Amino acid sequence: MVSSPHEAMHRIFQEHPELFSRVSEVLGVGFAPLASFTVLPNDLTETQPLERRVDTLLRLDTEGDGSFLLAVEAQGRKDPDKPASWAYYASYLLAKYRLQPMLLVVCQDRATAEWAARPVRFGPPQWPLLTLCPLVAGPHNMPLITDPAEVRKDLALATLSAITHAASPDIGAILKAMTRVLPDTPAELANPIIELIAQGLGKHPSAELWRKLVAVDLSFYKSPLSEELRAEGRAEGRAEGRAQGEARRAAEDVLAVLAERGVGVSEEARERITGCGDPETLSRWLRRAVTSPSADAIFTEE
């Protein structure tokens, strides 16, 4: 099943194709500045019933080095079958478009990234037919962008930084820096960024942090995510209010039974009863309050 981080790791290049220039620079590979780009169909299926799809495929036209194809693959784990698929993509794209192909693999964990970055040779060891050398972006080489000024300078790269560092201890600082910049960003640019980060964080604990930051720091944005968060917040608030009301009434019932029986209740016992928020515990205390010789006796075996 395709996960939301998988989608975010390559879809950001559809939204911001120019991001490849900055990523390749970070990775130490120089390309001429882009003059234009085209998002191409990602379906590499042949006439036979064999379906092959690259995650994102772009045609990038540079100012001085001509045009080339960029295939972006989001890789969530080591897969020994992938290098052969990537080699197929490269040869197919070269044959179909007559343009040189480039492969960028985006990962969220260092082990997968280091695996993907290893050159893979095809053919006999004494004379390899071809060698696959993808560019790889991951938490081991993408910058930790925690300065709002740096985020503002390159919002797309900062977004990829957040996605690739989803499990990093520094993710909180990255996300907080994003929320410092997004309020000043036009909504047509900011809203897709908010959604991409939410997708990219997937089920990592940082996803919940992002949801809270969006709900509080970016609450004025009208997007599917923000509306979902506000709806969840209202529902959680109502549920919490109901639970607190039920616990308060249950505590009052325990005290009322003890008072009706003339059983004295110390201040310590009263605080323990009224401070309990567990309905099951209060129900148990209520049953014991009917026969217990003292208020403290209802806590027996607690």
Side-chain angles (χ1 to χ4, degrees), residues 168-177 206 209 213:
S168 168
D170 298 300
I171 185 62
I174 297 174
L175 297 179
K176 192 62 180 177
S206 53
L209 172 60
L213 288 172

Coordinates of all heavy atoms in Angstrom, one line a residue, residues 168-177 206 209 213:
S168 N 13.5 12.6 13.2 CA 14.7 13.2 13.8 C 14.3 13.8 15.1 O 13.2 14.3 15.3 CB 15.3 14.3 12.9 OG 16.2 15.1 13.6
P169 N 15.3 13.8 16.1 CA 15.0 14.5 17.4 C 14.8 16.0 17.2 O 14.2 16.7 18.0 CB 16.3 14.3 18.2 CG 16.9 13.1 17.6 CD 16.5 13.1 16.1
D170 N 15.3 16.6 16.0 CA 15.2 18.0 15.8 C 13.9 18.4 15.0 O 13.7 19.5 14.6 CB 16.4 18.5 15.0 CG 17.7 18.3 15.8 OD1 17.8 18.9 16.9 OD2 18.5 17.5 15.3
I171 N 13.0 17.4 14.8 CA 11.9 17.7 13.9 C 11.0 18.8 14.5 O 10.4 19.6 13.8 CB 11.0 16.4 13.7 CG1 9.9 16.7 12.7 CG2 10.5 15.8 15.0 CD1 10.3 17.1 11.3
G172 N 10.9 18.9 15.8 CA 10.1 19.9 16.5 C 10.6 21.3 16.1 O 9.7 22.2 15.8
A173 N 11.9 21.5 16.1 CA 12.4 22.8 15.8 C 12.2 23.1 14.3 O 11.9 24.3 13.9 CB 13.9 22.8 16.1
I174 N 12.3 22.1 13.4 CA 12.0 22.3 12.0 C 10.5 22.7 11.8 O 10.3 23.7 11.1 CB 12.3 21.0 11.2 CG1 13.7 20.7 11.3 CG2 11.9 21.2 9.7 CD1 14.1 19.3 10.7
L175 N 9.6 22.0 12.4 CA 8.2 22.3 12.3 C 7.8 23.7 12.9 O 7.0 24.4 12.3 CB 7.3 21.2 12.9 CG 7.5 19.8 12.3 CD1 6.6 18.8 13.1 CD2 7.2 19.8 10.8
K176 N 8.4 24.0 14.0 CA 8.2 25.3 14.6 C 8.6 26.4 13.7 O 8.0 27.5 13.6 CB 8.8 25.4 16.0 CG 8.4 26.6 16.8 CD 6.9 26.5 17.1 CE 6.4 27.7 17.9 NZ 5.0 27.7 18.2
A177 N 9.8 26.2 13.1 CA 10.3 27.3 12.1 C 9.4 27.4 11.0 O 9.1 28.5 10.5 CB 11.7 26.9 11.7
S206 N 5.8 12.8 15.2 CA 5.9 14.2 14.8 C 4.7 14.6 14.1 O 4.4 15.8 14.0 CB 7.1 14.4 13.9 OG 7.2 13.5 12.8
L209 N 2.4 16.3 16.5 CA 3.0 17.7 16.8 C 2.6 18.7 15.7 O 2.2 19.8 16.0 CB 4.5 17.6 17.0 CG 5.2 18.9 17.1 CD1 4.7 19.7 18.4 CD2 6.7 18.7 17.2
L213 N 0.4 22.1 16.0 CA 0.9 23.4 15.5 C 0.0 24.0 14.5 O -0.2 25.2 14.5 CB 2.3 23.2 14.9 CG 3.4 22.9 15.9 CD1 4.7 22.5 15.2 CD2 3.7 24.1 16.9

